[in-house]
Amino acid sequence: MKKLLALLLALVMVFSMAACSSSSDDTTAAEEEETTTTETTETEEAAEAEETEEAEEVEETAEATHYTIGIIQQLEHEALDLATRGFEDALIELLGEENVTFDFQNAQGETANCATIANSLVSEGVDLILANATSALQAAAAATSDIPILGTSVTDYATALGIDDWTGATGTNISGTSDLAPLSEQANMIAELCPVEEYPNVGILYCSAEPNSVYQSTVITGYLEEMGYTVSEYTFADSNDIASVTQNACDNSDVLFVPTDNTAAANTEAIYNVTSVAGVPVAAGESGIMSGCGIATLSISYYDIGYIAGEMAYEILVEGADITTMAVQSAPEVTKMYMADRCEELGITVGEDYTAYEG
């Protein structure tokens, strides 16, 4: 009997120890699992905190960087002024006003001044140059092959830069935006307002010193001649002979076309003083020329192309975009616009798809 009791007590002790051991093992395993989970969570949180800190440091660095932008504007007139304003507005919005300084210089329509300004900006070591109009672009291109150059209010980059195999990008430190509205549609506009049966002779009036005007004249002449018009060019070398050349054009033409020509844009009053007396309508390449002396235009927004150039500048300066591969961009839309009072005076009927210019 005693032996039996002793055996039973021994068995009870064995089971108790086993239960304690199992409970202890379970507790230890749970504790180990909890510790591992905690360590993993802490590691993940630390990694996230580090990523956030790095992102904030990058953002702070970008915000702290200050950029100096040189601007060469060929001359002062409405279209170029709007392009410059759009460019500046875009960069102020994207960079913050405190992070950008604009060194704006007006060349007053002189090619030599464009060159002087471009060389000065290069000597200053500006971060980027905006060249507003063709002569400004050519001067900047001659001054540096290192500093990024963005053009705006430039009609045709291949013509301006002497590029034969044009692919849409220059392959150099130059890109930008074009102010060219489709010349085929400009020709169609002339045909709509001044039919060939009534206005058979078209005179193209522009400055011979502006290569992009030469380009526009050559291209639109082809379209107009296909429509049956007889086309003649009337060119002036500078503002001094605009009045006499315009008078000659009016004497031999039924309608004039003035392309996006900077010299013409700065002298629309002189042109209008002649054309208004002669009663010859003027179709214009852009709204500034139209408002000064024309009846209608296929217009783009110069503010928009300036703004797009500003966005491109941000991509280059902050995002590291390669300007050599950046395609030249155009205005997102064009608008048929007309001067209601002049069209009425000349008896010209305008379609419903034209918008009256309101100034």
Side-chain angles (χ1 to χ4, degrees):
M1 185 67 178
K2 289 181 180 180
K3 289 182 178 180
L4 180 60
L5 288 172
L7 179 58
L8 289 172
L9 287 172
L11 289 171
V12 170
M13 289 178 67
V14 169
F15 284 123
S16 297
M17 290 176 64
C20 290
S21 175
S22 175
S23 175
S24 175
D25 289 345
D26 290 345
T27 301
T28 300
E31 288 175 350
E32 289 177 352
E33 183 178 352
E34 182 178 352
T35 300
T36 301
T37 302
T38 301
E39 290 176 351
T40 301
T41 302
E42 290 176 349
T43 301
E44 291 174 350
E45 289 177 350
E48 290 176 0
E50 185 176 352
E51 289 177 1
T52 301
E53 185 177 349
E54 289 176 355
E56 289 175 350
E57 287 177 357
V58 170
E59 185 176 348
E60 289 174 1
T61 300
E63 291 177 354
T65 301
H66 188 278
Y67 299 96
T68 300
I69 311 296
I71 300 177
I72 313 170
Q73 183 167 312
Q74 187 168 319
L75 72 165
E76 182 180 355
H77 70 68
E78 180 185 0
L80 301 191
D81 293 345
L82 284 170
T84 292
R85 188 188 311 163
F87 178 80
E88 291 178 342
D89 284 353
L91 281 176
I92 288 171
E93 289 176 20
L94 293 168
L95 293 173
E97 188 171 5
E98 69 280 4
N99 295 324
V100 60
T101 297
F102 299 106
D103 185 352
F104 172 85
Q105 298 189 49
N106 189 332
Q108 304 297 333
E110 297 293 334
T111 301
N113 290 346
C114 288
T116 300
I117 294 169
N119 289 325
S120 174
L121 293 175
V122 172
S123 297
E124 292 172 17
V126 296
D127 297 298
L128 181 142
I129 295 173
L130 174 73
N132 192 347
T134 302
S135 293
L137 180 70
Q138 292 171 327
T144 179
S145 58
D146 299 317
I147 297 173
I149 300 168
L150 288 173
T152 192
S153 312
V154 175
T155 302
D156 182 67
Y157 282 73
T159 300
L161 300 173
I163 300 174
D164 294 327
D165 54 342
W166 179 248
T167 61
T170 68
T172 68
N173 62 318
I174 300 170
S175 189
T177 55
S178 169
D179 63 356
L180 181 63
L183 289 165
S184 59
E185 294 183 32
Q186 303 238 33
N188 289 336
M189 178 190 69
I190 293 172
E192 287 173 357
L193 302 178
C194 302
V196 64
E197 296 80 10
E198 300 176 45
Y199 302 83
N201 299 299
V202 178
I204 303 180
L205 182 68
Y206 66 92
C207 179
S208 58
E210 298 193 27
N212 280 312
S213 297
V214 177
Y215 167 80
Q216 290 173 82
S217 179
T218 300
V219 174
I220 200 169
T221 292
Y223 291 123
L224 291 170
E225 288 180 341
E226 287 178 2
M227 296 175 178
Y229 289 97
T230 298
V231 183
S232 301
E233 293 183 322
Y234 298 91
T235 63
F236 45 86
D238 53 40
S239 59
N240 294 322
D241 57 349
I242 285 181
S244 61
V245 172
T246 302
Q247 184 63 61
N248 185 31
C250 287
D251 291 342
N252 296 281
S253 308
D254 301 303
V255 56
L256 301 183
F257 174 68
V258 180
T260 55
D261 183 282
N262 292 301
T263 307
N267 292 275
T268 55
E269 183 177 358
I271 295 173
Y272 184 66
N273 287 340
V274 177
T275 58
S276 60
V277 173
V280 176
V282 176
E286 52 95 2
S287 59
I289 295 174
M290 180 201 66
S291 65
C293 64
I295 60 164
T297 185
L298 190 65
S299 180
I300 65 158
S301 167
Y302 276 80
Y303 181 89
D304 285 351
I305 62 171
Y307 195 96
I308 293 170
E311 293 176 322
M312 295 172 74
Y314 180 84
E315 293 174 12
I316 294 164
L317 295 171
V318 178
E319 299 178 353
D322 181 3
I323 192 171
T324 66
T325 62
M326 294 181 79
V328 170
Q329 299 189 40
S330 300
E333 59 184 29
V334 294
T335 303
K336 288 181 175 180
M337 196 173 294
Y338 75 106
M339 301 293 290
D341 55 345
R342 293 176 192 159
C343 286
E344 185 176 354
E345 289 173 7
L346 294 168
I348 292 175
T349 303
V350 177
E352 294 182 357
D353 55 340
Y354 284 78
T355 301
Y357 179 79
E358 297 180 355

